[in-house]
Amino acid sequence: MKDGLPQYLGNEQKISFTATSAQCASAMHDNTRVIRLASTKHCYIEIGHNPTATTSSTFLPRNMPEYFAVPQTGLMKVAAIRAGATNDDDDDDDDNFGEGDGLGDGDLLITEFC
């Protein structure tokens, strides 16, 4: 770290999420201070030592990468759960999400910055 900013890319992981909370396979590296999360579908995420994502967790929209600071306690993981059951990716605007609602099972990509 230089001036409190991450200096290099760390590990990358992928979580395939469904209606049940899924957790990344490995804990983040001890030097990880920031993570970037990018999802293929709308989901809810939770970060912690043994996290379980629920529909009350932090919402992460699809195709909108977000950065999160990670506590320096080590052994942190990420969990994700889908935001909804349907997968209405047509253009009929029959929902509140606009063109293609982004709901259904998906993948959450995790990039660590050290």
Side-chain angles (χ1 to χ4, degrees), residues 2-3 7 11 15 17 21 23 25 28 35 43-44 50 56 66-68 73 79 81 87 90 94 99 106 113:
K2 180 180 178 185
D3 301 323
Q7 296 301 304
N11 297 330
I15 301 172
F17 58 82
S21 180
Q23 199 177 91
M28 292 174 226
I35 57 173
C43 65
Y44 295 96
N50 187 24
S56 297
E66 292 281 354
Y67 293 82
F68 295 89
T73 57
I81 189 171
N87 189 8
D90 59 20
D94 60 352
E99 184 176 321
F113 292 85

Short mmCIF file of all heavy atoms in Angstrom, two decimals, residues 2-3 7 11 15 17 21 23 25 28 35 43-44 50 56 66-68 73 79 81 87 90 94 99 106 113:
data_model
loop_
_atom_site.label_atom_id
_atom_site.label_comp_id
_atom_site.label_asym_id
_atom_site.label_seq_id
_atom_site.Cartn_x
_atom_site.Cartn_y
_atom_site.Cartn_z
N LYS A 2 0.51 2.20 -0.78
CA LYS A 2 1.22 3.47 -0.83
C LYS A 2 0.19 4.57 -0.65
O LYS A 2 -0.80 4.61 -1.38
CB LYS A 2 1.96 3.61 -2.15
CG LYS A 2 2.72 4.91 -2.26
CD LYS A 2 3.43 5.00 -3.59
CE LYS A 2 4.14 6.34 -3.68
NZ LYS A 2 4.74 6.53 -4.98
N ASP A 3 0.41 5.45 0.30
CA ASP A 3 -0.53 6.54 0.57
C ASP A 3 -1.93 6.01 0.85
O ASP A 3 -2.92 6.66 0.52
CB ASP A 3 -0.56 7.53 -0.59
CG ASP A 3 0.79 8.15 -0.86
OD1 ASP A 3 1.52 8.42 0.12
OD2 ASP A 3 1.14 8.36 -2.04
N GLN A 7 -2.01 -1.17 -4.38
CA GLN A 7 -0.97 -1.05 -5.38
C GLN A 7 -1.02 -2.10 -6.49
O GLN A 7 -0.45 -1.89 -7.53
CB GLN A 7 0.40 -1.10 -4.71
CG GLN A 7 0.62 0.07 -3.77
CD GLN A 7 0.53 1.40 -4.48
OE1 GLN A 7 1.23 1.64 -5.45
NE2 GLN A 7 -0.37 2.26 -4.03
N ASN A 11 -5.98 -11.80 -5.93
CA ASN A 11 -6.72 -12.97 -6.43
C ASN A 11 -8.06 -12.57 -7.02
O ASN A 11 -8.63 -11.53 -6.69
CB ASN A 11 -6.96 -13.95 -5.28
CG ASN A 11 -5.67 -14.50 -4.72
OD1 ASN A 11 -4.68 -14.63 -5.42
ND2 ASN A 11 -5.67 -14.82 -3.44
N ILE A 15 -18.38 -16.46 -7.75
CA ILE A 15 -19.45 -17.15 -7.03
C ILE A 15 -20.62 -17.31 -7.99
O ILE A 15 -21.07 -16.33 -8.57
CB ILE A 15 -19.95 -16.34 -5.82
CG1 ILE A 15 -18.82 -16.07 -4.83
CG2 ILE A 15 -21.10 -17.06 -5.14
CD1 ILE A 15 -19.22 -15.10 -3.73
N PHE A 17 -24.40 -17.76 -8.00
CA PHE A 17 -25.44 -17.64 -6.98
C PHE A 17 -26.81 -18.02 -7.52
O PHE A 17 -27.07 -17.92 -8.72
CB PHE A 17 -25.46 -16.22 -6.37
CG PHE A 17 -25.68 -15.11 -7.36
CD1 PHE A 17 -26.94 -14.77 -7.79
CD2 PHE A 17 -24.60 -14.39 -7.83
CE1 PHE A 17 -27.14 -13.73 -8.68
CE2 PHE A 17 -24.79 -13.34 -8.73
CZ PHE A 17 -26.06 -13.02 -9.15
N SER A 21 -27.98 -18.63 -0.53
CA SER A 21 -26.72 -17.90 -0.37
C SER A 21 -25.53 -18.79 -0.72
O SER A 21 -25.45 -19.93 -0.29
CB SER A 21 -26.60 -17.39 1.06
OG SER A 21 -25.40 -16.68 1.24
N GLN A 23 -21.17 -18.75 -0.98
CA GLN A 23 -19.99 -18.08 -0.45
C GLN A 23 -18.78 -18.38 -1.32
O GLN A 23 -18.68 -19.47 -1.89
CB GLN A 23 -19.77 -18.62 0.96
CG GLN A 23 -18.92 -17.79 1.87
CD GLN A 23 -18.85 -18.42 3.26
OE1 GLN A 23 -17.94 -19.21 3.50
NE2 GLN A 23 -19.78 -18.11 4.13
N ALA A 25 -15.09 -19.58 -2.33
CA ALA A 25 -14.41 -20.78 -1.86
C ALA A 25 -13.27 -20.47 -0.91
O ALA A 25 -13.04 -21.20 0.06
CB ALA A 25 -13.89 -21.58 -3.05
N MET A 28 -10.15 -14.06 1.52
CA MET A 28 -9.28 -13.10 0.85
C MET A 28 -7.91 -13.08 1.51
O MET A 28 -7.75 -13.42 2.68
CB MET A 28 -9.91 -11.71 0.94
CG MET A 28 -11.17 -11.59 0.12
SD MET A 28 -11.93 -10.01 0.41
CE MET A 28 -13.62 -10.53 0.64
N ILE A 35 -11.99 -4.58 -2.47
CA ILE A 35 -12.44 -5.57 -3.45
C ILE A 35 -13.38 -4.90 -4.44
O ILE A 35 -14.06 -3.94 -4.11
CB ILE A 35 -13.14 -6.78 -2.79
CG1 ILE A 35 -14.33 -6.34 -1.93
CG2 ILE A 35 -12.16 -7.61 -2.00
CD1 ILE A 35 -15.16 -7.50 -1.41
N CYS A 43 -28.18 -8.90 -7.46
CA CYS A 43 -28.01 -9.79 -6.32
C CYS A 43 -27.88 -8.99 -5.03
O CYS A 43 -27.79 -7.76 -5.04
CB CYS A 43 -26.79 -10.69 -6.51
SG CYS A 43 -25.20 -9.83 -6.56
N TYR A 44 -27.86 -9.71 -3.93
CA TYR A 44 -27.57 -9.14 -2.62
C TYR A 44 -26.26 -9.75 -2.16
O TYR A 44 -26.02 -10.95 -2.37
CB TYR A 44 -28.68 -9.47 -1.62
CG TYR A 44 -30.00 -8.82 -1.97
CD1 TYR A 44 -30.97 -9.51 -2.68
CD2 TYR A 44 -30.26 -7.50 -1.58
CE1 TYR A 44 -32.18 -8.91 -3.00
CE2 TYR A 44 -31.47 -6.89 -1.91
CZ TYR A 44 -32.42 -7.59 -2.61
OH TYR A 44 -33.61 -7.00 -2.93
N ASN A 50 -17.78 -15.43 7.85
CA ASN A 50 -18.59 -16.56 7.41
C ASN A 50 -19.96 -16.01 6.99
O ASN A 50 -20.97 -16.30 7.62
CB ASN A 50 -18.73 -17.60 8.53
CG ASN A 50 -19.41 -18.86 8.06
OD1 ASN A 50 -19.40 -19.19 6.88
ND2 ASN A 50 -20.02 -19.57 8.99
N SER A 56 -32.06 -8.94 2.76
CA SER A 56 -31.84 -7.74 3.57
C SER A 56 -30.39 -7.26 3.49
O SER A 56 -30.04 -6.24 4.08
CB SER A 56 -32.19 -8.02 5.03
OG SER A 56 -33.54 -8.33 5.17
N GLU A 66 -18.86 -2.40 -8.19
CA GLU A 66 -18.75 -1.57 -6.98
C GLU A 66 -17.48 -1.96 -6.24
O GLU A 66 -17.05 -3.12 -6.28
CB GLU A 66 -19.95 -1.78 -6.05
CG GLU A 66 -21.25 -1.26 -6.59
CD GLU A 66 -21.42 0.25 -6.43
OE1 GLU A 66 -20.56 0.89 -5.80
OE2 GLU A 66 -22.41 0.77 -6.96
N TYR A 67 -16.89 -1.00 -5.55
CA TYR A 67 -15.69 -1.23 -4.76
C TYR A 67 -16.05 -1.15 -3.28
O TYR A 67 -16.82 -0.29 -2.87
CB TYR A 67 -14.62 -0.18 -5.09
CG TYR A 67 -14.09 -0.33 -6.49
CD1 TYR A 67 -14.78 0.20 -7.58
CD2 TYR A 67 -12.90 -1.01 -6.74
CE1 TYR A 67 -14.29 0.07 -8.88
CE2 TYR A 67 -12.41 -1.15 -8.03
CZ TYR A 67 -13.11 -0.61 -9.09
OH TYR A 67 -12.63 -0.76 -10.36
N PHE A 68 -15.46 -2.07 -2.49
CA PHE A 68 -15.73 -2.12 -1.06
C PHE A 68 -14.42 -2.23 -0.30
O PHE A 68 -13.54 -3.00 -0.68
CB PHE A 68 -16.61 -3.33 -0.72
CG PHE A 68 -17.99 -3.27 -1.31
CD1 PHE A 68 -18.23 -3.78 -2.59
CD2 PHE A 68 -19.03 -2.71 -0.61
CE1 PHE A 68 -19.50 -3.73 -3.14
CE2 PHE A 68 -20.30 -2.65 -1.16
CZ PHE A 68 -20.54 -3.16 -2.43
N THR A 73 -8.90 -7.48 9.26
CA THR A 73 -8.90 -8.61 10.18
C THR A 73 -8.53 -9.92 9.51
O THR A 73 -8.33 -10.91 10.18
CB THR A 73 -10.28 -8.76 10.83
OG1 THR A 73 -11.26 -8.91 9.79
CG2 THR A 73 -10.62 -7.56 11.68
N ALA A 79 -20.44 -13.43 0.19
CA ALA A 79 -21.56 -14.31 -0.14
C ALA A 79 -22.55 -13.54 -1.00
O ALA A 79 -22.64 -12.30 -0.91
CB ALA A 79 -22.24 -14.81 1.13
N ILE A 81 -26.65 -13.83 -3.11
CA ILE A 81 -27.92 -14.51 -3.38
C ILE A 81 -28.64 -13.69 -4.45
O ILE A 81 -28.51 -12.47 -4.49
CB ILE A 81 -28.76 -14.63 -2.08
CG1 ILE A 81 -29.98 -15.53 -2.29
CG2 ILE A 81 -29.16 -13.27 -1.55
CD1 ILE A 81 -30.71 -15.85 -0.98
N ASN A 87 -36.40 -14.32 -14.89
CA ASN A 87 -35.33 -13.90 -15.78
C ASN A 87 -35.96 -13.31 -17.03
O ASN A 87 -35.86 -13.85 -18.11
CB ASN A 87 -34.43 -15.09 -16.12
CG ASN A 87 -33.18 -14.64 -16.86
OD1 ASN A 87 -32.92 -13.45 -16.98
ND2 ASN A 87 -32.42 -15.60 -17.35
N ASP A 90 -36.65 -9.64 -21.84
CA ASP A 90 -37.23 -9.13 -23.08
C ASP A 90 -37.47 -7.63 -22.95
O ASP A 90 -37.14 -7.01 -21.96
CB ASP A 90 -38.52 -9.88 -23.43
CG ASP A 90 -39.57 -9.77 -22.33
OD1 ASP A 90 -39.48 -8.84 -21.51
OD2 ASP A 90 -40.47 -10.62 -22.30
N ASP A 94 -42.76 -5.00 -18.70
CA ASP A 94 -43.84 -5.42 -17.82
C ASP A 94 -43.38 -5.49 -16.36
O ASP A 94 -44.00 -6.13 -15.54
CB ASP A 94 -44.41 -6.77 -18.25
CG ASP A 94 -43.37 -7.88 -18.25
OD1 ASP A 94 -42.17 -7.58 -18.06
OD2 ASP A 94 -43.75 -9.04 -18.45
N GLU A 99 -35.80 -2.33 -19.34
CA GLU A 99 -35.48 -3.29 -20.38
C GLU A 99 -34.62 -4.43 -19.84
O GLU A 99 -33.48 -4.23 -19.44
CB GLU A 99 -34.73 -2.59 -21.51
CG GLU A 99 -34.45 -3.48 -22.69
CD GLU A 99 -33.80 -2.72 -23.82
OE1 GLU A 99 -34.18 -1.57 -24.05
OE2 GLU A 99 -32.92 -3.30 -24.44
N GLY A 106 -27.03 -16.07 -11.32
CA GLY A 106 -25.93 -15.37 -11.99
C GLY A 106 -24.59 -15.66 -11.36
O GLY A 106 -24.45 -16.56 -10.52
N PHE A 113 -7.77 -6.18 -4.31
CA PHE A 113 -6.71 -5.18 -4.51
C PHE A 113 -5.90 -5.11 -3.23
O PHE A 113 -6.45 -4.97 -2.15
CB PHE A 113 -7.31 -3.80 -4.82
CG PHE A 113 -8.00 -3.74 -6.15
CD1 PHE A 113 -9.33 -4.13 -6.26
CD2 PHE A 113 -7.33 -3.30 -7.28
CE1 PHE A 113 -9.99 -4.06 -7.49
CE2 PHE A 113 -7.98 -3.24 -8.50
CZ PHE A 113 -9.31 -3.62 -8.61
#
